[in-house]
Amino acid sequence: MLSFILLALLAHALPIKCQNLQQQNLKIFILAGQSNMAGRGGVTNDTSKGIRTWDGVVPPQCEPNPSIFRLSADLEWVQAREPIHADIDAKKTDGIGPGMSFANAVLSKDPNFGSVGLVPCAVGGTTISKWQKGEFLYEQLVKRAQMALNSGGVYQAMLWYQGESDTINQEHAELYKGRLKRFFNNIRSDLNAPMLPIFQVALASGEGPYIEEVREAQLEIGLPNVKCVDAKGLPFEPDGLHLTTPAQVRLGEMLADAFLQSIPSPSPSNDAPTNSSNFVPYFWITAQIFRCLWMIVTFG
């Protein structure tokens, strides 16, 4: 009864922000990188008119799901739907990326997984230098990820697909590995998640001739809890740079398999209590109230 009263008071006092928070401990996945993470599946380039358009085709694997949410550009949880980077990679034309097929695959393969909270942060055409600590994209990623956590979520992993822009210049390709390591280490440090699982995509295309150099850096990153999913062999749009819609669906499923395989199997415990205590739900509710109050003070 007490928990019901507290929840009712909470919903009445904070009708907008706190109701958005109560997505039952969202499992947070950060989506970062450049255009192939933001999604260009189904996007075509009309060279005669100089415009790019998305065909609007959403495959079944990318359909909205009542258990999948996304953090919008204005830091509100909303139901996720394609293109999920439309208000983040806002200066480009976005289409299908791997995020929705990833989330749907996780939920279909693990029906007890819970609710997924996607935090889109990818921006097309960005080099790894633009993702270093102190740069706008880095600070935005940290801000959005921290907001997702403070609104009641739990970090699960970061999905990272970037590097095509670093294949243009030999010096950038040679410096890529060190910059990538620094980025991963700084993100983990600033999110207070030293072992945050990172699933990076080894690129299979690039804007320049140094694709193999960047791929080698990705495949040999040598950091704990960083796993590589190889995009080599997936089909591309006619531009030869961006993955097609079916390829993005497949990539999302590959990332989901890699993530689920990384989760340790729960070991049964004979010490578990037979009667649950009321302390846990009351503590959780109290924590949510303080989180809501913190958000009001911080974000107005």
Side-chain angles (χ1 to χ4, degrees):
M1 177 61 72
L2 178 58
S3 62
F4 175 79
I5 293 172
L6 285 172
L7 284 173
L9 289 172
L10 182 61
H12 177 74
L14 303 166
I16 299 177
K17 290 186 177 179
C18 286
Q19 284 182 4
N20 285 339
L21 309 182
Q22 301 304 320
Q23 304 299 350
Q24 302 171 1
N25 280 345
L26 289 178
K27 306 293 181 63
I28 299 171
F29 294 91
I30 303 163
L31 313 179
Q34 55 181 115
S35 56
N36 270 314
M37 177 57 76
R40 298 293 187 267
V43 174
T44 57
N45 187 18
D46 187 337
T47 54
S48 64
K49 297 180 180 179
I51 58 173
R52 295 175 65 84
T53 57
W54 176 47
D55 60 18
V57 176
V58 178
Q61 300 92 330
C62 301
E63 289 287 349
N65 183 313
S67 294
I68 303 175
F69 300 85
R70 64 179 289 273
L71 192 67
S72 68
D74 57 2
L75 303 178
E76 295 287 346
W77 286 114
V78 297
Q79 186 174 22
R81 61 182 64 250
E82 298 285 12
I84 61 173
H85 273 84
D87 60 347
I88 301 297
D89 190 28
K91 294 182 180 180
K92 306 291 177 66
T93 301
D94 298 296
I96 302 296
M100 283 300 290
S101 63
F102 166 82
N104 275 311
V106 168
L107 294 180
S108 67
K109 294 179 180 184
D110 184 358
N112 298 318
F113 187 77
S115 297
V116 171
L118 301 176
V119 183
C121 300
V123 175
T126 52
T127 62
I128 190 64
S129 62
K130 297 297 184 182
W131 291 93
Q132 299 302 296
K133 187 178 177 70
E135 294 288 339
F136 175 79
L137 293 177
Y138 178 93
E139 300 303 328
Q140 279 293 104
L141 189 160
V142 170
K143 175 184 176 182
R144 289 174 57 74
Q146 288 176 337
M147 177 64 184
L149 183 72
N150 290 327
S151 66
V154 180
Y155 292 141
Q156 296 294 303
M158 180 171 76
L159 310 184
W160 172 256
Y161 190 172
Q162 186 275 337
E164 293 91 343
S165 293
D166 288 277
T167 66
I168 299 173
N169 182 285
Q170 183 177 2
E171 182 183 4
H172 289 179
E174 292 173 349
L175 294 173
Y176 188 83
K177 187 175 182 178
R179 288 172 172 172
L180 185 64
K181 277 188 173 183
R182 189 158 54 250
F183 167 66
F184 287 165
N185 287 331
N186 285 335
I187 284 294
R188 285 172 161 174
S189 176
D190 286 345
L191 296 184
N192 294 316
M195 291 302 290
L196 175 71
I198 297 173
F199 297 85
Q200 69 159 335
V201 180
L203 57 81
S205 64
E207 298 180 48
Y210 300 103
I211 298 174
E212 290 305 317
E213 287 81 354
V214 174
R215 272 180 57 84
E216 182 179 352
Q218 294 171 332
L219 293 168
E220 299 178 359
I221 189 65
L223 289 177
N225 234 24
V226 176
K227 300 184 183 300
C228 212
V229 173
D230 201 340
K232 201 165 191 176
L234 295 175
F236 291 93
E237 297 285 1
D239 62 11
L241 182 64
H242 298 112
L243 294 178
T244 64
T245 292
Q248 288 284 19
V249 169
R250 179 62 188 134
L251 178 61
E253 294 170 343
M254 291 163 62
L255 287 164
D257 287 340
F259 168 71
L260 292 172
Q261 290 167 11
S262 73
I263 300 176
S265 300
S267 56
S269 172
N270 294 327
D271 298 326
T274 54
N275 296 318
S276 61
S277 167
N278 286 332
F279 173 76
V280 175
Y282 293 163
F283 176 80
W284 182 86
I285 293 166
T286 303
Q288 299 312 306
I289 293 174
F290 278 108
R291 279 175 175 161
C292 290
L293 292 173
W294 175 87
M295 286 184 61
I296 291 175
V297 172
T298 304
F299 297 100

